[in-house]
Amino acid sequence: MVKTKAVMIGAGLANMAAAVYLIQEAHWQGSQITFYGADLHGANDGGPTADFTDEYWNQAHPMANTTGYVARGGRMLNYRTYVDLMDLLDRIPSVTESGMTAAEDTHDFDAHHRTFDKARLLQGGKGIIDGGKLGLNNKDRVLLSKLVLMPDDEETKLDNVSIAAYFKDDPHIFQTNFWYMWETTFAFRVQSSAQELRRYMHQMIYEFTQIEHLVGVNRTRYNQFESIMLPLIKYLEGEGVTFLDNRIVTDWEFADSELQDEITVTGLHVKNLETDTEDLVPIDDETAVIFTNGSITDSATMGDYNTPAPENMDYGISAALWKKATERFYNLGTPDKFFNDRKSSEWVSFTLTTKNHLLLNEITRITTQVPGNALNSFLSTTPITPLGHKDVNMSIVVHHQPHFTTQKPNESVIWGYFLYPRRTGEFVHKQYIKMTGKEMAQELIGQLSKVDPGPNNIKTKEPEILDSIVNNIPVYMPYASALFNNRAKTDRPEVIPAHSTNLAFTGEFAEQPYQMIFTEQSAVRSGEMAAYHFAGISMDHLVETPRYDKDPKTLMRATKKMFS
């Protein structure tokens, strides 16, 4: 199984991690590694909007207004659990801080800008909610404890069990501060996988004691592209790795074998998006194929200040290739579980750029905290869920400024998202998915006004704030939460599937023991596993994953917090 070359399908974090480990641990030359991808960042993007107008996923609906900045999502790190990510970043130099590795850059920034959210939950008519009071009752505590204490070998009991089904006799939990904070920190929905919730409860159990302040959250100096992806790209380019972007692998060639379940890739059909031509790339016996088999930003589209993000009904391009492999082999998972249920996976996010700090200063005044400390959520005061429960309307992240290296001193950038984009706004009476960037800004101002009573509240400054906005970019992502979709354990393929001779799966849709997904941690670890396998390096050399769910002191602190 040891190989001497690798073809990477997808140029996101997982495959770039695999390339770094092949170079540094297996001592490969960069020239032995070739990437095919529609872009060079995957879901870890961020930059001026003008840089995104030629992206594959936005070609059909280019933005009319290309000023300001955009990031489809944001990344919160956690040093205690993201051990593989930090190991990776410590292997490459920062591109913004001279003399530092990318890990040292992040540690240095975080040490000077610690997260301490004083306004984690905001509710109309009540203002800042005391999130330290989790609001759990005894039934909530019992069911949560069962998740935490469930052994790994019993996890399949939660196959195809949603969070709503797990708590079917306990709807109270969905009205607790604990749920509002957990839901918006990690982007779980009630229809998400209880199996995935269990993994988060295991790996992030210590967050029970500090979730209301997010003190366990660490952040990069700038957006995730400039602080994580660009250092990887520059390092790999310097090592001679070949990057072929604007390329999509559309189909496979597999070897015929007497062993019908043996998986050997012999060729890849590669489409060049620039020339609209397709070639067959042969794969020889010495080449590994490392495939990121799904992306949460596939089929994403962007709007602008005056235009909603259009709805793109395309099946994800990477998932479509995964699906073709599953039609040939039985043990490679079930892509439709993740990419054929948009009601469970879609988001709308927005990135708002202003030409002065009026909005930023108003948010600072309302939340009583400086930029960079918070992820704020706004609670509804009226029933909007099918069960008649109040729920979170929207969440915003106010980054430390500047969030982009090219951002001007007078500019502010704020990011936010709607976890349930088909709901209707309270101040703009449209579904969030149908709002323009301006309308999302108006909804944000309205939501903030609910927690800002008095004659001089933020609503009185709405004309000035709207005038200060350079752009507000809505982004529709049909698969943003797809990795949380309700599923069985076998619906994701193993990183190294049984009987595979040269194909590995990486990213958030590959199954790994214990790891929780939707994190840079699991993406990096999958790439590390694939690299070690094809380099003939023992998995004993993988970075050791801490098990806080087995630490008595952590469990005792979490138990005490449950009763707060």
Side-chain angles (χ1 to χ4, degrees):
M1 297 295 181
V2 175
K3 305 297 181 182
T4 59
K5 295 177 289 183
V7 168
M8 307 290 187
I9 305 176
L13 177 62
N15 281 358
M16 289 196 190
V20 172
Y21 285 107
L22 285 169
I23 290 168
Q24 294 194 4
E25 296 297 323
H27 308 296
W28 285 21
Q29 298 297 310
S31 58
Q32 297 168 259
I33 302 169
T34 302
F35 279 82
Y36 293 101
D39 54 52
L40 293 183
H41 51 65
N44 284 277
D45 58 37
T49 58
D51 291 352
F52 287 79
T53 55
D54 293 328
E55 295 273 2
Y56 168 77
W57 48 269
N58 207 53
Q59 280 181 342
H61 306 281
M63 294 176 295
N65 187 342
T66 58
T67 56
Y69 293 89
V70 65
R72 288 177 286 185
R75 300 295 179 271
M76 296 183 293
L77 311 184
N78 185 285
Y79 298 149
R80 295 177 68 174
T81 52
Y82 289 26
V83 289
D84 294 79
L85 173 68
M86 299 314 296
D87 176 77
L88 174 69
L89 296 184
D90 209 30
R91 295 168 177 264
I92 59 175
S94 167
V95 296
T96 63
E97 308 306 307
S98 178
M100 291 186 182
T101 67
E104 290 168 341
D105 174 10
T106 298
H107 279 291
D108 177 74
F109 173 78
D110 190 68
H112 291 92
H113 303 87
R114 300 309 302 266
T115 300
F116 189 86
D117 195 341
K118 295 189 289 184
R120 180 64 184 82
L121 295 175
L122 301 168
Q123 184 169 358
K126 294 184 178 180
I128 298 173
I129 301 299
D130 182 2
K133 296 178 180 178
L134 299 183
L136 301 171
N137 64 23
N138 285 337
K139 185 176 283 190
D140 303 331
R141 296 177 186 115
V142 168
L143 290 171
L144 286 172
S145 296
K146 284 183 178 180
L147 278 180
V148 174
L149 298 174
M150 181 181 287
D152 293 346
D153 59 5
E154 294 183 12
E155 188 180 47
T156 53
K157 291 179 178 179
L158 297 175
D159 276 359
N160 299 309
V161 176
S162 69
I163 294 172
Y166 181 80
F167 291 104
K168 65 182 185 300
D169 297 324
D170 181 30
H172 171 267
I173 195 167
F174 300 120
Q175 291 293 281
T176 63
N177 289 339
F178 162 77
W179 174 253
Y180 296 139
M181 291 186 289
W182 202 269
E183 173 189 38
T184 53
T185 299
F186 302 115
F188 278 102
R189 304 170 186 234
V190 295
Q191 64 264 53
S192 299
S193 166
Q195 198 172 81
E196 212 59 60
L197 177 62
R198 172 199 169 271
R199 291 196 178 192
Y200 268 73
M201 297 302 296
H202 274 234
Q203 201 159 354
M204 303 293 286
I205 184 60
Y206 60 85
E207 281 299 320
F208 256 100
T209 62
Q210 54 197 25
I211 191 171
E212 71 271 24
H213 297 308
L214 294 177
V215 295
V217 169
N218 311 109
R219 298 186 188 276
T220 54
R221 189 177 303 271
Y222 298 107
N223 61 87
Q224 62 262 16
F225 177 74
E226 292 185 279
S227 288
I228 295 177
M229 299 307 294
L230 194 55
L232 283 165
I233 293 167
K234 294 298 184 184
Y235 169 79
L236 293 173
E237 286 179 338
E239 292 292 325
V241 169
T242 300
F243 285 104
L244 298 173
D245 63 343
N246 289 303
R247 305 295 200 281
I248 294 176
V249 179
T250 60
D251 210 345
W252 311 90
E253 296 289 330
F254 291 108
D256 292 323
S257 172
E258 295 180 2
L259 302 173
Q260 292 186 358
D261 54 1
E262 182 178 274
I263 304 169
T264 301
V265 180
T266 60
L268 300 172
H269 295 262
V270 180
K271 182 177 182 179
N272 186 324
L273 297 175
E274 295 177 332
T275 61
D276 197 30
T277 58
E278 189 163 301
D279 296 309
L280 177 62
V281 176
I283 302 296
D284 61 29
D285 292 342
E286 297 301 314
T287 301
V289 178
I290 301 179
F291 171 39
T292 300
N293 58 306
S295 172
I296 61 174
T297 51
D298 273 356
S299 303
T301 53
M302 296 194 296
D304 60 28
Y305 193 65
N306 298 304
T307 312
E311 191 170 351
N312 181 356
M313 298 307 298
D314 291 348
Y315 200 84
I317 55 173
S318 49
L321 183 62
W322 174 20
K323 192 170 184 176
K324 288 183 177 180
T326 66
E327 291 167 355
R328 173 72 180 264
F329 301 102
Y330 66 85
N331 64 335
L332 300 184
T334 315
D336 278 355
K337 281 286 190 76
F338 308 97
F339 291 89
N340 204 30
D341 183 12
R342 291 186 174 207
K343 289 182 179 179
S344 297
S345 64
E346 62 184 2
W347 284 15
V348 173
S349 71
F350 61 88
T351 312
L352 191 156
T353 307
T354 64
K355 62 186 178 184
N356 62 40
H357 301 308
L358 175 59
L359 177 57
L360 190 70
N361 289 336
E362 284 295 292
I363 294 173
T364 298
R365 177 181 62 81
I366 293 167
T367 63
T368 70
Q369 57 195 0
V370 299
N373 280 359
L375 183 153
N376 303 121
S377 298
F378 303 103
L379 299 187
S380 171
T381 55
T382 56
I384 56 174
T385 70
L387 296 176
H389 292 160
K390 66 177 182 290
D391 202 356
V392 173
N393 275 344
M394 66 188 300
S395 299
I396 60 170
V397 177
V398 184
H399 305 286
H400 179 271
Q401 307 293 311
H403 192 51
F404 298 89
T405 57
T406 57
Q407 192 176 323
K408 298 174 184 175
N410 61 298
E411 291 178 329
S412 299
V413 175
I414 297 168
W415 182 84
Y417 77 103
F418 302 97
L419 187 58
Y420 293 93
R422 303 286 172 174
R423 291 178 179 171
T424 300
E426 292 185 77
F427 296 87
V428 177
H429 298 292
K430 289 183 177 180
Q431 290 181 317
Y432 300 128
I433 193 174
K434 296 179 180 178
M435 289 186 187
T436 66
K438 179 180 180 180
E439 290 167 337
M440 289 183 178
Q442 291 172 314
E443 182 70 18
L444 169 62
I445 293 167
Q447 291 288 341
L448 285 167
S449 73
K450 290 167 59 178
V451 296
D452 182 28
N456 297 313
N457 73 50
I458 189 173
K459 190 74 172 172
T460 66
K461 304 176 182 67
E462 183 170 340
E464 296 171 77
I465 293 172
L466 293 178
D467 184 62
S468 77
I469 296 175
V470 174
N471 209 349
N472 190 27
I473 305 295
V475 177
Y476 172 64
M477 293 176 286
Y479 307 121
S481 287
L483 30 64
F484 284 155
N485 280 14
N486 195 15
R487 48 100 184 162
K489 195 169 184 176
T490 55
D491 287 328
R492 295 194 301 229
E494 301 283 346
V495 174
I496 309 297
H499 313 299
S500 173
T501 66
N502 67 344
L503 176 63
F505 291 82
T506 61
E508 309 291 15
F509 297 92
E511 180 62 30
Q512 304 173 57
Y514 180 66
Q515 296 293 322
M516 60 185 187
I517 42 77
F518 209 0
T519 66
E520 272 81 350
Q521 164 63 17
S522 61
V524 171
R525 192 171 185 84
S526 65
E528 184 184 6
M529 292 172 67
Y532 282 16
H533 175 78
F534 290 124
I537 299 172
S538 170
M539 295 295 173
D540 292 339
H541 293 282
L542 292 170
V543 178
E544 184 177 356
T545 299
R547 293 296 302 253
Y548 299 106
D549 58 324
K550 298 184 181 298
D551 176 43
K553 290 183 179 179
T554 299
L555 293 174
M556 285 296 294
R557 285 193 292 268
T559 301
K560 182 179 178 181
K561 185 68 173 181
M562 276 191 187
F563 285 86
S564 63

